Amino acid sequence: MRDILVAAAVALLLSMIGTPVAMRVFARRGYGQNIREEGPSGHYDKRGTPTMGGTVIVIAALLGYAASHAATLTAPTISGGLVLFLMTGLAAVGFLDDFIKIYKQRSLGLRSGAKAFGQLIVGAVFAVLVVRFPNAYDITPATTRLSFLRDFGPSISLIPFIIWVLIMIVGFSNAVNLTDGLDGLASGATGVVLASYVLIGNWQLRNSCVNQLGPNCYWVRDPLDLAVVAAAVLGALVGFLWWNAPPAKIFMGDTGSLALGGVIAGLAVTTRTQLLLVILAGMCVIITLSVIIQVGFFKMTRRRVFRMAPLQHHFELAGWAETTIVVRFWLIAGLCAAAGLGLFYVEWMPKS
C-alpha cells in the first residue's frame, strides 16, 4: 500500500507545481490552442490557452512511479514498464500532433493516417512484448486469451491477439481524445477509470494465485505494480485537473489524451480485464459512439442525429452551460466506473 501512496502523492505534487510552470513556458513560446472554425462559438474565447499540458502528466507520472520504487527499495516490473512505455509512446505521437498544430497555426496537426500509423507502431511493440517475459511462476504480463473479469476461453493465437490489442489501444486513445472537448472533461472521465484500476490491482494482489490457490484467484503477473502505475498517473492527473478544471488555464492536448487512453488500455490488457474496460470507461465509449452514429447516419441519409458530435458539443448547442455538461458527464463516468467495479467484485459476493 505504501508503494501506491508514494506514487500518487509524488505525482500529484509534481503535477500541481509543474503545471503552472509549464503554462508560463508554453505561453511565452506561443504554444496556444487553435480553435476549429466549425466548433461551438463559445470556444473562440479559449483561443491561445496553453496546450500540450499532457507533457506534465506524463513526466509527473513517470517520476511518481520511480519515486515509489526508490522509497520502497523495489525494482520496477515488466508489466508496469510496458504500460508506461505505451503511455509515453502515445504521448510522443500526441506531442508531435500538438506541435504541428502550433507551428502551422491550425487546428489540424498530423494527418489521420500518420497519427494512426504512430499509434499502431507503439501499440504493436506493446502487444508483441506483453505476452513475453514469464516470471518464476511462468506468468506473462498478458496471455493470448480474451478477458473480462479474468481470462476466459481458449487462446486466440498471437496474430489475432495483436490485432485485438491494437484495436483496444487505438480505440481508447482516440476515445479519450474525443472526450477531451470541454475543460476538465477528459481528466475527470479517465480519472475514475484509473482509480478503479488502483482498486482492481490491489484486490488482485490480495487474491493472487501465487500467494494462495483458490477458485477465484487471479493469474496476474504484477498486480501491485500495475496499481502503482494507475496511482501515479491518477495523482498526476488530479494535480493537472486543478488547473484544467473550468475555466481551464491549460489544455492537455493530444499529448495527454492519447497517453491517458493508452494507459487505461494497457492496464486492461495486463490486469486481464479487457472487456470490462468498455464499462469502466463507459463515458468515453458513449462519446465515441455518438461520433460513429453521427458520421454513419449522415453518410446514409445526409441528415444529423445530434446538433454536433462529439456528444458534449450537442448539449453545448442545446444551451447547457459548459460546467453543467462537465459535471453531469463526470457523474455518468463515475456511475460507469462503479458499475464496472461492481461487476468485478460480484463473483466474490456470498452465494445464497
Side-chain angles (χ1 to χ4, degrees), residues 184-330:
L185 179 55
S187 299
T190 52
V192 294
V193 181
L194 290 165
S196 299
Y197 275 113
V198 174
L199 297 175
I200 287 172
N202 189 52
W203 185 258
Q204 289 177 334
L205 172 69
R206 295 173 182 273
N207 297 279
S208 172
C209 296
V210 171
N211 299 327
Q212 183 177 359
L213 285 173
N216 291 328
C217 67
Y218 298 99
W219 292 101
V220 176
R221 191 188 191 280
D222 306 298
L224 175 59
D225 207 42
L226 293 172
V228 170
V229 168
V233 181
L234 176 60
L237 190 58
V238 171
F240 177 79
L241 182 57
W242 180 268
W243 305 99
N244 180 237
K249 303 295 190 297
I250 187 171
F251 300 138
M252 69 172 65
D254 283 22
T255 308
S257 59
L258 295 187
L260 291 174
V263 165
I264 62 174
L267 288 169
V269 172
T270 49
T271 58
R272 320 286 176 95
T273 55
Q274 299 158 15
L275 296 176
L276 184 63
L277 181 59
V278 175
I279 301 171
L280 291 171
M283 187 70 259
C284 298
V285 173
I286 291 168
I287 286 173
T288 303
L289 286 175
S290 74
V291 175
I292 295 171
I293 291 169
Q294 182 85 325
V295 173
F297 192 78
F298 184 78
K299 285 184 176 180
M300 289 188 295
T301 66
R302 312 309 294 177
R303 298 172 64 187
R304 292 178 172 84
V305 177
F306 307 105
R307 289 182 170 92
M308 182 179 288
L311 187 61
Q312 59 268 32
H313 298 321
H314 168 81
F315 290 106
E316 275 192 289
L317 295 182
W320 289 23
E322 181 172 356
T323 50
T324 300
I325 300 168
V326 170
V327 172
R328 287 177 177 173
F329 277 36
W330 280 353

